[in-house]
């Protein structure tokens, strides 16, 4: 299925419309380790901010993307991180250990939904930076 790439395409279109040339779009999942993962389509229409690694018995539409450690992908200094990735926040942070280990580690703003975390094998308690890094 080709559901998720439409969101990336919309982002690319908006970057062009706004003459933004300092953003690179990567179609991947931010994880602790590499591998192919399935993203379940959630929400209504082709473009949804609710797509997720969390699968239910009713999820039929999905697409696959590579999972990557953001430590390996990010090559510039980061000043702030904002995540809203439907329960996969702990998984993403575990892939940022090098970036978060220094004194100049960026602050992270993220949505905390313990129910979503638990579906992916973590918890809000684990999100505590000292527990994750």
């Amino acid at each position: 299925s080709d559901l998720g790439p439409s969101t990336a395409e919309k982002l690319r279109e908006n970057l062009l419309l706004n003459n933004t040339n300092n953003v690179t779009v990567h179609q991947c999942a931010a994880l602790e380790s590499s591998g192919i993962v399935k993203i379940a389509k959630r929400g209504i229409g082709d473009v949804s901010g609710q797509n997720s690694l969390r699968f239910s018995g009713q999820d039929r539409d999905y697409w696959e993307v590579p999972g990557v450690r953001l430590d390996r992908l990010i090559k510039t200094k980061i000043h702030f991180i904002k995540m809203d990735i439907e329960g996969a926040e702990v998984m993403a942070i575990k892939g940022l250990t090098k970036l978060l280990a220094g004194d100049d580690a960026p602050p992270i703003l993220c949505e905390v939904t313990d129910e979503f975390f638990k579906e992916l094998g973590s918890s809000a308690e684990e999100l505590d930076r000292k527990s994750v890094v």
Side-chain angles (χ1 to χ4, degrees):
S1 179
D2 194 33
L3 301 168
S6 65
T7 302
E9 201 51 47
K10 290 282 186 196
L11 175 56
R12 287 186 181 99
E13 289 172 15
N14 278 294
L15 292 170
L16 283 172
L17 287 171
N18 289 285
N19 296 316
T20 305
N21 58 10
N22 64 343
V23 174
T24 303
V25 178
H26 297 276
Q27 288 179 248
C28 59
L31 299 174
E32 182 177 8
S33 57
S34 300
I36 301 298
V37 295
K38 292 179 180 180
I39 307 290
K41 180 193 182 292
R42 299 281 173 86
I44 299 169
D46 286 344
V47 181
S48 171
Q50 297 175 335
N51 299 326
S52 177
L53 291 173
R54 295 176 295 107
F55 273 82
S56 73
Q58 295 150 344
D59 290 322
R60 301 268 186 265
D61 293 328
Y62 68 89
W63 68 100
E64 295 180 338
V65 297
V68 298
R69 284 186 63 91
L70 292 181
D71 275 349
R72 294 189 181 134
L73 188 64
I74 298 171
K75 303 296 182 202
T76 60
K77 179 163 177 48
I78 302 296
H79 299 281
F80 181 78
I81 298 172
K82 194 272 185 199
M83 294 183 200
D84 183 357
I85 49 179
E86 302 300 311
E89 287 81 359
V90 173
M91 298 164 81
I93 290 169
K94 286 182 176 182
L96 285 166
T97 52
K98 291 177 190 171
L99 181 70
L100 299 177
D103 290 335
D104 61 346
I108 299 173
L109 172 67
C110 67
E111 178 181 47
V112 176
T113 307
D114 198 41
E115 176 186 331
F116 291 177
F117 290 172
K118 287 178 180 173
E119 286 181 49
L120 291 173
S122 63
S123 67
E125 183 177 306
E126 188 179 5
L127 186 63
D128 177 356
R129 181 178 269 183
K130 292 177 185 147
S131 298
V132 175
V133 176

